[in-house]
Amino acid sequence: MRILRGLVVTLLVLILIGIGVGTWMVRRSFPVVDGEIEVPGLQSPVTVMRDRAGIPHITASNTADLFMAQGYVHAQDRFWQMDTWRHIGAGRLSEMFGSGQVETDIFLRTLGFEHAAQAAYDTMPEETREVLDAYAAGVNAYLAERPGGTALSFEYGVLGIQNRGYRPEPWDPVDSLTWAHVMAWDLRSNLEEEIARTAVASELGEAMAEDLYPPHRTDHPPIVGDHLTAQRTGPTLPAAAHEALARAASNASVVGPLGGPFEGIGSNSWVVAGSRTATGAPILADDPHLGIQLPSIWYQATLWCEEVSEDCPFRVTGFTFPGAPGVVIGHNERIAWGVTNEGPDTMDLFVERVDGDRYMVDDEWEEMEIRTETIAVAGGADVDIEVRTTRHGPIISGRFGTVDGIEEDLSPDDSDYEVALAWQALEPATLFQALLQINLASDWEEFREAASLFDIAPQNLVYADVDGHIGYQATGEIPIRRSGDGRYPVPGWTSDHEWTGLVPFEDLPSVLDPPSGMIVTANQPVVGDDYPVFIGVDHDYGYRAKRIADLLSEAGDDLTVDDMSRIQMDNHDASATFVVPALLDHVDDPALDDLMSVLTAWQASERPYQMDADSPGAAAYAAVWRHLLGSTFEELPEDHAAGGNSRYFEIVRRLLDDPQAAWWDDTGTEEPETRDDILHRAASAAQAELLEALGDDPDSWRWGDLHRADFENQTLGQSGIAPIERLFNRSATPDVSGGSSIVNASGWIASEGYEVASLPSMRMVIDLSDLANSVGVHTTGQSGHVFHRNYFDMNEDWVAGRTRPLPFDPAGFDADATLILDPTG
């Protein structure tokens, strides 16, 4: 017994030691947020107050100190994320994570974001470069305090198990600029649509491919203007190019750092004039939709100059990107702004005739530009690659050689073919200058001047100011094509489809103080087809925009901040308004009474067609929708399966009016199927799935039990090692409502499952009558340090649709901790 007691005591001691060591390893990376710290390079003391949520209010006496402090604070809370992001932008993930990332690095090196960022830094105005330099100095001041490893972030301790030699480099100002290009890639326009149209046309014929891209509804108005007509059409490339395009699509798919783009991903922003609000002043709302991730892409912060002067003009608050100075979305003392993805057609794929490293230009062979890149690989040998570039852009359809299998009908000889990407985001950008100038803008004219520099990742910008004005401005460098509309890849060996220039900023759509008193942007078409400038055709189909506009109109002229927050959480699924009636009208089978009774009750309830987390009807409908898409569009190539976004809302709405349409027929069966057959099949499969997954009591079915939101750390949380993943990943509690192409856009991919894939990455409402009444929240928390109290503390509010005050004026700031950053000496 004495021996047994001794073993038990020894075991308990070891367990306690293990817990103690583990706690020390985790907590030693937590930043110091109270007291005073000397920071070399500062000119004057800087005050960093943090509230209970960890949101910092940074007060400085000059611009250099302000942004140096922002870099320091970002590094305190999010350096692992920043370090990972800069390796993504530079195509250097293999240095951290080994050979499994070589493929991704090859594609990123081919795009050459770091080269474009360096060129931008070298040519930007001196005052802009000084901001980036100050920010980098702040990051590096923090790195100098920490010996590395778990003292910097717990992730480095885990990474050290596999990659013991890794040490983070000092932060370079160019690191901040590369991330803008990565975001442009994540918010890219119609690259996938160009490839998908060609693939479907090659396999099923052009008519069926065009069925999948129907005209936009005329009762869903664009952002600027009153009507839409049919989509424009352009030249198509013969199907013989599909193998090269498939290779390009496969290569592009290896890059998904933010989890996007997804079918159904988008954003909402709107602004209403004082004539429609209870206070008589504008209100602006914004909720960008991005891929689900942990930590959040956003970091809230206030940048405050003690006295506004030429040496320190900034007083701005809102949502920032860790790794970049300034505020991306928010407000200053005069104006507020929000963004949604504009979705213009800024990318074109050119199929090039090639012979080795030569490519054809109007019957003449020209030499490609070639540069060599060396990829360092942790635990392995370096990998050397050649990046080949034509007049249109980098070759993205292969690594070193050409793609075989192209049919000979494209040319009279046996030349090979490759795919080149033309895209302005591969060039030096002025996006960062635009954001800094927006931070400082005081009126509409200054805002538009800043927006004119917003070149890559084109966005819809909504605007409001304290003088009562509201506005909208489209941004971005949009190509003018000699012919065609960019909907399909085009031959690159002739000059028939060249870009002849870019749309001048003054020709981009813009509006100030519209008579309606509101502006709604939700990724719908920017303008009608009568607009003289071509923007693109692959926009959202406007169901979210129409719903928001209807809710604003129904709310009357006394709108409040709370009203805006409620609209952001609207769960109405417009597709259910035509699918559920069709089911109830055309499916008559007593064996499906469980499903049909739930749908009937949902349709007749006080909240019809609302995808609430606790709703049996929402669960039933989601299952029907998923199986309806799978049964109807089973002919689609696997890589282009129906995901269920707003485009499929419109496709299915049209098909329901055509019971004999070819899409209803299952080509794998002998007898032809009709609409009613497929509706019955989908209902039957949905009921069987729900009974198995959620139980045999239909009243207990819950949408939230299917629609799980699992937040994964984008690096170690996806390692495939369960104990490590459990350390870093979290699941939303309570369950998540909403769905794809819904205002509360917690999107899911019908071809893959019900789990949340994209979401409102933050929610913000700005009250221009009283900026202190503004609110915001993002998905996870301010801290990137696992087990820190602010690692996941915002999530419950985000799920429930609750917001928090958006801190601004230091006089009203509820400080939980105060850190003074002092100059040395």
Side-chain angles (χ1 to χ4, degrees), residues 2 13 21 94 114 170 180 222 301 347 357 402 438 446 484 497 513 614 667-668 696 699 742 744 760 769 789 807 823:
R2 284 197 302 271
V13 169
V21 170
S94 301
E114 189 176 34
M347 301 174 110
D357 292 331
T402 59
I438 289 174
E446 291 181 359
H497 305 284
D513 297 327
D614 61 355
T667 57
D696 56 8
D699 292 334
I742 292 173
N744 181 21
S769 73
R789 75 180 188 188

Side-chain angles (χ1 to χ4, degrees), residues 19 24 60 77 81 147 171 233 251 302 323 327 373 404 441 450 496 523 551 595 601 604 657 720 756 817-818 822:
I19 292 172
W24 174 79
D77 288 330
Q81 183 182 41
W171 193 263
T233 59
N251 287 348
T302 298
V327 171
E373 299 268 349
D404 297 325
D496 296 343
N523 315 114
L551 290 173
L595 179 79
D657 291 332
V756 175
T818 300
D822 284 321

Side-chain angles (χ1 to χ4, degrees), residues 559-602:
L559 287 161
T560 66
V561 168
D562 288 343
D563 291 330
M564 301 301 189
S565 292
R566 278 192 292 271
I567 292 173
Q568 287 178 331
M569 289 299 294
D570 180 70
N571 293 323
H572 182 263
D573 190 323
S575 68
T577 64
F578 44 82
V579 173
V580 171
L583 279 167
L584 298 179
D585 287 346
H586 302 295
V587 176
D588 183 12
D589 184 350
L592 298 177
D593 282 351
D594 284 342
L595 179 79
M596 293 304 186
S597 63
V598 169
L599 291 173
T600 299
W602 189 46

Side-chain angles (χ1 to χ4, degrees), residues 794-808:
M794 287 187 181
N795 187 255
E796 190 170 333
D797 283 347
W798 174 83
V799 170
R802 295 188 295 267
T803 52
R804 304 176 177 197
L806 198 63
F808 188 43

Side-chain angles (χ1 to χ4, degrees), residues 104-117:
T104 302
D105 282 347
I106 287 173
F107 190 78
L108 288 164
R109 295 290 185 95
T110 300
L111 296 179
F113 292 153
E114 189 176 34
H115 296 283

Side-chain angles (χ1 to χ4, degrees), residues 38-56:
E38 286 192 349
V39 179
L42 286 175
Q43 302 172 35
S44 301
V46 177
T47 301
V48 181
M49 298 184 291
R50 280 180 168 88
D51 64 9
R52 182 70 182 170
I55 299 170

Side-chain angles (χ1 to χ4, degrees), residues 687-711:
Q687 179 173 283
E689 180 184 20
L690 292 166
L691 290 170
E692 180 178 354
L694 302 182
D696 56 8
D697 178 9
D699 292 334
S700 69
W701 296 347
R702 299 176 67 258
W703 172 222
D705 289 337
L706 296 173
H707 193 50
R708 300 291 303 171
D710 294 321
F711 290 81

Side-chain angles (χ1 to χ4, degrees), residues 467-692:
D467 294 328
H469 299 293
I470 66 171
Y472 164 82
Q473 178 65 56
T475 66
E477 293 183 332
I478 302 170
I480 301 170
R481 298 168 177 85
R482 181 166 293 159
S483 63
D485 58 10
R487 296 180 69 230
Y488 286 87
V490 294
W493 55 87
T494 79
S495 296
D496 296 343
H497 305 284
E498 294 302 292
W499 293 1
T500 60
L502 301 172
V503 175
F505 177 75
E506 290 302 321
D507 290 342
L508 293 176
S510 179
V511 64
L512 179 68
D513 297 327
S516 65
M518 66 178 182
I519 301 168
V520 175
T521 80
N523 315 114
Q524 79 270 36
V526 177
V527 292
D529 283 352
D530 58 339
Y531 196 77
V533 171
F534 179 66
I535 304 296
V537 296
D538 288 313
H539 294 90
D540 184 273
Y541 275 73
Y543 286 90
R544 279 182 291 117
K546 179 68 161 57
R547 177 67 176 174
I548 293 167
D550 288 347
L551 290 173
L552 290 172
S553 297
E554 292 166 6
D557 296 333
D558 295 310
L559 287 161
T560 66
V561 168
D562 288 343
D563 291 330
M564 301 301 189
S565 292
R566 278 192 292 271
I567 292 173
Q568 287 178 331
M569 289 299 294
D570 180 70
N571 293 323
H572 182 263
D573 190 323
S575 68
T577 64
F578 44 82
V579 173
V580 171
L583 279 167
L584 298 179
D585 287 346
H586 302 295
V587 176
D588 183 12
D589 184 350
L592 298 177
D593 282 351
D594 284 342
L595 179 79
M596 293 304 186
S597 63
V598 169
L599 291 173
T600 299
W602 189 46
Q603 184 184 54
S605 70
E606 294 182 356
R607 292 181 59 77
Y609 310 130
Q610 291 278 337
M611 300 297 287
D612 298 333
D614 61 355
S615 169
Y621 178 66
V624 168
W625 177 246
R626 179 171 183 243
H627 288 285
L628 178 62
L629 294 177
S631 297
T632 306
F633 303 104
E634 83 284 350
E635 300 100 323
L636 290 179
E638 184 178 352
D639 292 343
H640 306 291
N645 62 358
S646 69
R647 180 162 57 85
Y648 279 94
F649 282 25
E650 187 61 13
I651 295 166
V652 171
R653 186 184 74 88
R654 289 168 170 268
L655 286 177
L656 288 172
D657 291 332
D658 186 359
Q660 307 297 325
W663 284 105
W664 296 122
D665 183 30
D666 182 351
T667 57
T669 62
E670 292 185 5
E671 296 297 324
E673 284 80 17
T674 65
R675 173 197 62 197
D676 295 359
D677 296 322
I678 298 303
L679 288 172
H680 183 276
R681 181 186 295 180
S684 180
Q687 179 173 283
E689 180 184 20
L690 292 166
L691 290 170
E692 180 178 354

